[in-house]
Amino acid sequence: GAGVSQSPSNKVTEKGKDVELRCDPISGHTALYWYRQSLGQGLEFLIYFQGNSAPDKSGLPSDRFSAERTGGSVSTLTIQRTQQEDSAVYLCASTFVGTGLQPQHFGDGTRLSIL
Amino acid sequence: GQQVMQIPQYQHVQEGEDFTTYCNSSTTLSNIQWYKQRPGGHPVFLIQLVKSGEVKKQKRLTFQFGEAKKNSSLHITATQTTDVGTYFCAGPFSGGYQKVTFGTGTKLQVIP
């Protein structure tokens, strides 16, 4: 597709369950980002990928959060033993890496609700 | 660490009034980006400013980068209901790669 694709669009799960969120970036975009946005709040940086490596994981809130990227394309964000405070919209963005800062292209996000 | 603050946090305006949001960085920025997020939507890139004192216009939107490259503003002339949303500025993170630090955002509500 032409844009960043995220799935599922909505996820409701019980506290303590594991969840996996998927991001399919724009073809050719080597940089990929995960953000978290709580209701009415700003964008909280989670992790950044360049290709398959993650040079910056500084935003991951705890060791329950992990992410991987394979083939320089699709990325998955996994949250283990979910807690109610994990409820938020998880946004993925990708960019083309070129000269200077490039625009970030966002997906529609996954709305995660922990019961 | 690097901080990018925006004021105001919220703004309600009557349709037809002007609106301005200000973005202030704790560090000098090489460039700055602006994004708009409609309610229920995702952030969408609007523009990037690079030069000190640069001014760019997109129809009713005017973007300005400060002379010291530590602040920026977005001004909307004669707001319309389609302008409703949250406006974020974003500056490059001082890490040497394509990471940005997003501002705290300004939520604009336009009253018809």
Side-chain angles (χ1 to χ4, degrees):
Chain A
V4 177
S5 178
Q6 291 188 247
S7 62
S9 54
N10 286 284
K11 177 73 176 178
V12 181
T13 192
E14 293 180 344
K15 176 182 172 182
K17 301 286 189 182
D18 297 352
V19 295
E20 193 171 275
L21 312 179
R22 175 188 169 106
C23 173
D24 198 344
I26 292 172
S27 178
H29 282 193
T30 57
L32 184 148
Y33 311 78
W34 284 98
Y35 296 91
R36 179 168 71 174
Q37 188 172 37
S38 300
L39 187 63
Q41 301 299 309
L43 296 162
E44 177 187 5
F45 168 80
L46 297 179
I47 189 169
Y48 158 79
F49 285 94
Q50 177 54 47
N52 290 336
S53 64
D56 190 340
K57 305 179 182 180
S58 62
L60 294 177
S62 73
D63 58 8
R64 297 187 295 105
F65 288 72
S66 63
E68 65 175 12
R69 189 179 185 193
T70 55
S73 182
V74 172
S75 175
T76 55
L77 174 69
T78 302
I79 309 173
Q80 296 179 309
R81 305 180 303 281
T82 51
Q83 304 293 314
Q84 288 186 331
E85 61 262 28
D86 299 334
S87 296
V89 175
Y90 289 81
L91 290 161
C92 173
S94 69
T95 67
F96 168 77
V97 177
T99 303
L101 196 65
Q102 301 297 318
Q104 298 206 358
H105 300 263
F106 284 83
D108 289 335
T110 294
R111 185 174 300 276
L112 178 63
S113 300
I114 309 299
L115 303 178
Chain B
Q2 182 182 40
Q3 291 186 331
V4 182
M5 304 297 292
Q6 284 182 250
I7 54 172
Q9 188 176 3
Y10 301 96
Q11 183 81 58
H12 292 76
V13 298
Q14 206 72 35
E15 188 173 17
E17 291 182 339
D18 292 355
F19 159 77
T20 304
T21 173
Y22 299 91
C23 175
N24 297 292
S25 171
S26 57
T27 59
T28 300
L29 303 170
S30 58
N31 45 28
I32 195 160
Q33 298 176 338
W34 284 91
Y35 293 79
K36 176 185 178 181
Q37 185 174 24
R38 294 181 185 273
H42 58 265
V44 174
F45 174 80
L46 294 176
I47 207 163
Q48 179 161 291
L49 305 174
V50 179
K51 300 176 183 176
S52 169
E54 186 173 13
V55 178
K56 286 189 175 180
K57 292 190 175 184
Q58 289 181 348
K59 298 182 180 178
R60 294 178 296 102
L61 277 60
T62 302
F63 304 83
Q64 187 165 2
F65 203 5
E67 293 291 340
K69 302 185 79 173
K70 294 185 71 174
N71 55 71
S72 180
S73 64
L74 159 58
H75 179 81
I76 303 178
T77 302
T79 54
Q80 300 175 359
T81 54
T82 53
D83 296 325
V84 166
T86 302
Y87 293 85
F88 293 98
C89 61
F93 188 76
S94 53
Y97 52 80
Q98 292 275 340
K99 177 183 173 183
V100 297
T101 299
F102 280 86
T104 47
T106 295
K107 186 173 182 179
L108 173 64
Q109 183 64 38
V110 179
I111 305 164

